[in-house]
């Protein structure tokens, strides 16, 4: 009987030790996640600011009247790649796909037959969810997208403005002591799009 009581006491003690260890682990994890929140949010906004800047052609070629020379355009793309891909994890598969998506925005404007952005800004209005899973964090937020653009209407460039709200998602992973982007699906303004395209206007910057 005494042996059974001792075994029971040992079992209860082990149970409480496990509970304490798990509680400490959960508390530390929650603390770490909360302490990372400012950096995660700042990274998302900084990324949006950088992509906004490089969604525009160089100022001298935003009129629609002068085509950007190939050598100038190539240098600008290199500058853009360095600035934007610095936010990404060091993985060619992610960066290569993201680079293609960024450049397609500029390619469409360079063609000179649809629209040319004059100004673009993203304002995060609300963080809808911030979810941690293993080493990843997925941030979903509502953005207000505003700006000015030139619309090519039968060969005539007319200036217009836009202001839209949309949902965006960014997934980040820790790398080198910083939070780096693995995936980004950013709400892009519906300018220059048909009615069918507007419903799928988000630009995916990675897998």
């Amino acid at each position: 009987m005494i042996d059974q009581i001792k075994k029971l006491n040992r079992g209860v003690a082990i149970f409480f030790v496990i509970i304490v260890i798990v509680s400490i682990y959960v508390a530390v994890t929650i603390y770490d996640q909360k302490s990372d929140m400012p950096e995660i949010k700042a990274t998302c906004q900084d990324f949006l600011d950088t992509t906004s800047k490089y969604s525009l052609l160089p100022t001298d070629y935003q009129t629609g009247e002068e085509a950007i020379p190939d050598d100038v355009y190539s240098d600008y793309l290199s500058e853009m790649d360095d600035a934007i891909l610095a936010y990404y994890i060091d993985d060619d598969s992610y960066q290569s796909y993201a680079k293609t998506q960024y450049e397609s925005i500029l390619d469409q404007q360079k063609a000179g037959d649809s629209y040319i952005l004059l100004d673009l800004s993203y304002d995060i209005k609300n963080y809808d969810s911030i979810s941690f899973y293993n080493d990843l964090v997925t941030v979903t937020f509502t953005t207000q997208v505003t700006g000015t653009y030139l619309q090519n209407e039968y060969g005539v460039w007319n200036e217009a403005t836009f202001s839209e709200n949309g949902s965006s998602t960014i997934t980040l992973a820790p790398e080198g002591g910083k939070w780096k982007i693995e995936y980004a699906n950013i709400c892009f303004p519906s300018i220059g799009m048909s009615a069918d395209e507007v419903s799928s206007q988000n630009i995916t910057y990675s897998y």
Side-chain angles (χ1 to χ4, degrees):
M1 184 68 176
I2 295 177
D3 290 340
Q4 290 178 339
I5 293 175
K6 288 182 178 179
K7 288 181 180 179
L8 178 61
N9 288 340
R10 278 200 301 270
V12 171
I14 292 172
F15 173 76
F16 277 108
V17 168
I18 293 173
I19 292 296
V20 170
I21 292 174
V22 171
S23 298
I24 292 174
Y25 173 78
V26 171
V28 170
T29 300
I30 292 175
Y31 175 81
D32 288 343
Q33 290 175 352
K34 286 185 176 180
S35 64
D36 285 339
M37 288 292 192
E39 181 187 347
I40 290 169
K41 291 181 177 180
T43 299
C44 290
Q45 185 62 66
D46 289 347
F47 174 71
L48 292 176
D49 293 341
T50 301
T51 55
S52 296
K53 175 182 177 181
Y54 287 103
S55 292
L56 279 60
L57 292 172
T59 305
D60 292 343
Y61 304 99
Q62 293 177 5
T63 63
E65 298 176 359
E66 182 181 359
I68 182 171
D70 289 341
D71 59 334
V72 175
Y73 187 59
S74 178
D75 290 342
Y76 187 68
L77 290 182
S78 296
E79 177 186 322
M80 178 197 69
D81 291 340
D82 290 342
I84 293 180
L85 296 183
Y87 288 91
Y88 276 80
I89 61 173
D90 186 16
D91 187 311
D92 289 340
S93 63
Y94 290 107
Q95 292 192 5
S96 176
Y97 186 82
K99 177 180 175 180
T100 300
Q101 300 306 304
Y102 306 137
E103 294 181 358
S104 68
I105 297 173
L106 293 177
D107 287 344
Q108 186 173 2
Q109 297 176 75
K110 179 178 181 290
D113 57 7
S114 179
Y115 72 92
I116 296 176
L117 283 167
L118 304 177
D119 177 63
L120 175 66
S121 64
Y122 287 93
D123 181 20
I124 298 177
K125 307 303 292 184
N126 183 62
Y127 287 94
D128 302 314
S129 67
I130 300 178
S131 304
F132 289 86
Y133 181 75
N134 293 334
D135 288 334
L136 300 177
V137 58
T138 299
V139 185
T140 301
F141 49 90
T142 300
T143 48
Q144 182 178 31
V145 192
T146 58
T148 309
Y149 68 103
L150 294 178
Q151 180 77 50
N152 190 332
E153 298 177 347
Y154 304 104
V156 178
W157 291 100
N158 295 313
E159 185 173 318
T161 60
F162 57 85
S163 179
E164 305 173 8
N165 290 329
S167 179
S168 300
T169 300
I170 296 178
T171 297
L172 307 96
E175 183 180 83
K178 296 182 179 181
W179 284 98
K180 294 281 192 171
I181 293 174
E182 183 177 278
Y183 166 94
N185 186 12
I186 306 302
C187 177
F188 193 73
S190 57
I191 56 176
M193 298 183 185
S194 67
D196 291 337
E197 293 172 320
V198 170
S199 62
S200 58
Q201 66 193 48
N202 281 37
I203 303 298
T204 301
Y205 291 127
S206 188
Y207 300 122

